[in-house]
Amino acid sequence: AQTVTQSQPEMSVQEAETVTLSCTYDTSESDYYLFWYKQPPSRQMILVIRQEAYKQQNATENRFSVNFQKAAKSFSLKISDSQLGDAAMYFCAYEGGGSNYKLTFGKGTLLTVNP
Amino acid sequence: DTGVSQNPRHKITKRGQNVTFRCDPISEHNRLYWYRQTLGQGPEFLTYFQNEAQLEKSRLLSDRFSAERPKGSFSTLEIQRTEQGDSAMYLCASSPVPGQGWNEQFFGPGTRLTVL
């Protein structure tokens, strides 16, 4: 079974600074997808960024980028120029590339942004 | 389109009672998923539908839980004889059937269940 581990229960960053959230996963599959989801307080979860395992190039979405190390099974999220609105719970998630469409989530990292 | 909606947003019930939650997915999304999120944990997969067919159920979905998606539109999740351990946030998500590759799941706001 696939597992996703987020070793940082909480992180904090100063506004305008950069922060990196860690995620490792375990799988025997070669084809899969990785995601970072953001869950603001009392609001629904939204997708931040995704990475296809077959792509070597790291995904980037504006201020958000990932460092995908397939051999190490590591998938970290970097948030640049942090903003107050980035404060949320961040979840790393795994989806198998076959017909298994369910997401397996980590326990999450609570990000606080200090003004 | 206002996204995935869930009702009720909050439900408080006494142990042993039955509860039913509803999820309305984004229109024309063929897939619908249910997850459960307990305090301090990430969401855990419960079950998913493609149109009206329930294609996979997690071991977490005991026989007290039943989910339906009649006519492939909205879905209901019923918990019978609730237990205190059922207290959690129940999340619904929907996604279109992808042509190839990955599919983005769009999440609803969740229904928070408290069993007294």
Side-chain angles (χ1 to χ4, degrees):
Chain A
Q2 294 81 20
T3 58
V4 177
T5 301
Q6 293 179 250
S7 59
Q8 306 154 316
E10 297 183 25
M11 291 282 285
S12 64
V13 63
Q14 292 295 125
E15 198 175 1
E17 296 295 307
T18 296
V19 64
T20 299
L21 308 184
S22 301
C23 173
T24 58
Y25 58 94
D26 189 26
T27 183
S28 57
E29 297 177 306
S30 58
D31 182 24
Y32 51 88
Y33 306 91
L34 296 165
F35 306 88
W36 279 97
Y37 277 88
K38 171 185 177 182
Q39 188 176 41
S42 301
R43 295 182 62 186
Q44 54 221 76
M45 195 146 24
I46 57 173
L47 179 65
V48 174
I49 196 166
R50 78 174 192 278
Q51 174 79 43
E52 293 90 336
Y54 64 85
K55 288 188 177 179
Q56 293 185 333
Q57 186 172 6
N58 289 325
T60 298
E61 288 287 344
N62 301 314
R63 299 182 294 107
F64 299 87
S65 61
V66 300
N67 183 3
F68 173 48
Q69 301 290 326
K70 190 172 184 179
K73 297 180 180 175
S74 170
F75 182 61
S76 61
L77 173 70
K78 186 171 81 171
I79 306 174
S80 303
D81 186 25
S82 297
Q83 300 176 359
L84 295 178
D86 295 333
M89 185 70 85
Y90 286 80
F91 292 99
C92 178
Y94 171 101
E95 177 186 327
S99 61
N100 179 357
Y101 300 109
K102 65 185 180 186
L103 293 171
T104 300
F105 287 88
K107 289 187 177 183
T109 297
L110 179 63
L111 178 66
T112 302
V113 181
N114 300 311
Chain B
D1 190 352
T2 57
V4 178
S5 61
Q6 292 187 246
N7 289 288
R9 294 290 307 275
H10 302 273
K11 178 70 177 179
I12 299 174
T13 190
K14 293 182 179 179
R15 188 177 54 187
Q17 298 295 305
N18 299 343
V19 294
T20 300
F21 310 140
R22 176 176 170 131
C23 170
D24 287 89
I26 294 172
S27 57
E28 301 182 353
H29 276 192
N30 302 88
R31 294 200 180 122
L32 187 148
Y33 311 79
W34 285 98
Y35 293 85
R36 181 172 70 185
Q37 185 177 17
T38 54
L39 201 61
Q41 303 292 322
E44 296 173 291
F45 171 80
L46 292 179
T47 187
Y48 100 93
F49 294 81
Q50 180 155 320
N51 299 314
E52 66 275 9
Q54 188 174 17
L55 297 186
E56 187 172 343
K57 293 195 295 185
S58 163
R59 291 170 299 175
L60 294 174
L61 215 63
S62 76
D63 56 6
R64 296 185 298 106
F65 288 70
S66 62
E68 295 183 342
R69 193 184 182 196
K71 303 178 183 178
S73 56
F74 70 91
S75 176
T76 58
L77 177 68
E78 181 183 16
I79 308 175
Q80 296 181 326
R81 306 180 303 281
T82 52
E83 302 173 356
Q84 288 183 327
D86 296 332
S87 295
M89 177 76 84
Y90 290 84
L91 297 171
C92 177
S94 70
S95 70
V97 176
Q100 282 187 333
W102 75 287
N103 73 128
E104 179 177 352
Q105 294 186 24
F106 294 82
F107 283 81
T111 294
R112 181 167 295 283
L113 173 66
T114 301
V115 181
L116 302 176

